[in-house]
Amino acid sequence: MCKLACRASAGHSNGVSLRKFLSPLIDFAFPPRCPGCGDAIVADGPNGDDAFCTACWTTLQIPGEPACAECQHPFGADHLGHDALCARCLIDPPMHDGIVAATIYGSVSRDMVLKLKHGGRIALVGPMGRTLASRIGDKAGHEPIVVPVPLHRGRLWRRGYNQSVLMARAIAKAKGWALQPDLLVRKRRTPSLGGLDPDQRRKALRGAIAMGKRSEVKGRTVLLVDDVLTSGATSDACVRVLKKAGAERVVIACYARVLHADPVPKRETPEAARPRASA
């Protein structure tokens, strides 16, 4: 047993050394390229493939402050307090317990998401997942369960992978958190939600998401991972199921977040935002 363990350890050590030795040669033959455009040759980032070229980096939008205390939707004004809520969260309080986004949906992040989701560019999971992991901070609390948004088995068979599972795995590895990739399942296919109003989206997703296996989520925090957050209908359906199963908090993590021109529901138009009322 000891000899086998020593041999395995030596093989692993040699593999690491060989990879480290060959890395400069590989970079010389195949220099690292920008994950955004895929064309510009870039210097290595902190993890080898995270660096963007100047053109992509200046176009990439990173969420910042000030922002809504609930959904982190950026505010245009800089005088709002940390407890300020956007009008949408004031009118229709969200079921989730916060949103963490690596980027604002734009030309660069859109291209990366599409390359990953439909182009088979699985290598992009590394820089995308690590960037998102670095944005989470303490928003998800201590050791949450990392859960990806599920993909229907029909689409999974055709695509060959669920990009949300790959991103969730990258985050769990970077943070040292537990990953449960099959905690949620999508029981039936849902139509494209584009062009549907909020009520139609909720109707399309009604009963589509369910718990895939028994798991002790009662009293736990769940980090729900997806590649893009658009209307929030899919994530709301997931949050609803997780909360019903007993999850205490559900924080949504996405690589790209779509910002709506008018974050206020059309049924009302109150003032843009005001501080959260103290308890």
Side-chain angles (χ1 to χ4, degrees):
M1 291 290 292
C2 180
K3 290 182 179 179
L4 290 175
C6 291
R7 287 175 183 174
S9 176
H12 177 72
S13 177
N14 290 338
V16 172
S17 300
L18 182 61
R19 189 160 53 243
K20 189 174 182 179
F21 173 75
L22 291 177
S23 181
L25 299 176
I26 295 173
D27 286 346
F28 178 78
F30 305 97
R33 296 183 180 273
C34 170
C37 64
D39 295 325
I41 297 175
V42 295
D44 281 354
N47 291 289
D49 58 356
D50 294 354
F52 287 87
C53 68
T54 303
C56 287
W57 178 250
T58 55
T59 306
L60 200 65
Q61 294 178 278
I62 307 298
E65 298 291 341
C68 173
E70 288 286 353
C71 73
Q72 281 73 59
H73 191 290
F75 289 138
D78 58 4
H79 61 276
L80 299 170
H82 291 293
D83 290 336
L85 300 180
C86 69
R88 184 177 292 274
C89 288
L90 285 168
I91 295 171
D92 188 16
M95 291 181 292
H96 61 71
D97 298 281
I99 296 174
V100 179
T103 65
I104 301 299
Y105 191 79
S107 59
V108 175
S109 58
R110 178 193 64 225
D111 288 346
M112 292 184 67
V113 167
L114 292 177
K115 288 174 185 176
L116 172 61
K117 182 182 291 189
H118 302 297
R121 298 284 298 278
I122 298 178
L124 290 174
V125 168
M128 293 170 73
R130 286 190 294 267
T131 300
L132 180 51
S134 68
R135 295 277 303 171
I136 294 171
D138 59 356
K139 293 183 176 67
H142 180 63
E143 295 188 355
I145 301 172
V146 183
V147 177
V149 170
L151 192 67
H152 186 264
R153 61 179 179 274
R155 289 182 179 172
L156 182 60
W157 288 340
R158 284 195 301 274
R159 188 176 299 169
Y161 58 92
N162 180 354
Q163 70 280 356
S164 297
V165 171
L166 299 180
M167 290 191 64
R169 184 176 295 137
I171 293 171
K173 181 179 179 180
K175 306 292 282 187
W177 292 338
L179 170 67
Q180 294 196 17
D182 54 354
L183 182 65
L184 295 175
V185 295
R186 194 178 294 243
K187 297 195 299 182
R188 59 179 177 80
R189 288 191 60 181
T190 53
S192 173
L193 303 181
L196 302 181
D197 62 36
D199 289 337
Q200 291 172 325
R201 290 191 179 103
R202 283 190 289 268
K203 184 177 180 180
L205 287 159
R206 191 172 298 152
I209 308 294
M211 295 292 288
K213 66 175 185 178
R214 292 183 178 275
S215 178
E216 188 54 55
V217 298
K218 187 175 182 179
R220 297 289 301 276
T221 295
V222 174
L223 184 72
L224 182 67
V225 180
D226 205 358
D227 54 348
V228 180
L229 182 67
T230 51
S231 67
T234 302
S235 58
D236 281 351
C238 295
V239 172
R240 188 179 295 108
V241 170
L242 291 167
K243 289 287 184 80
K244 187 176 181 180
E248 182 177 351
R249 299 177 66 241
V250 180
V251 177
I252 299 170
C254 62
Y255 180 74
R257 178 181 180 175
V258 176
L259 296 184
H260 302 281
D262 179 13
V264 184
K266 295 186 180 304
R267 61 178 179 272
E268 292 184 47
T269 308
E271 50 188 318
R274 63 174 181 269
R276 186 205 307 256
S278 58

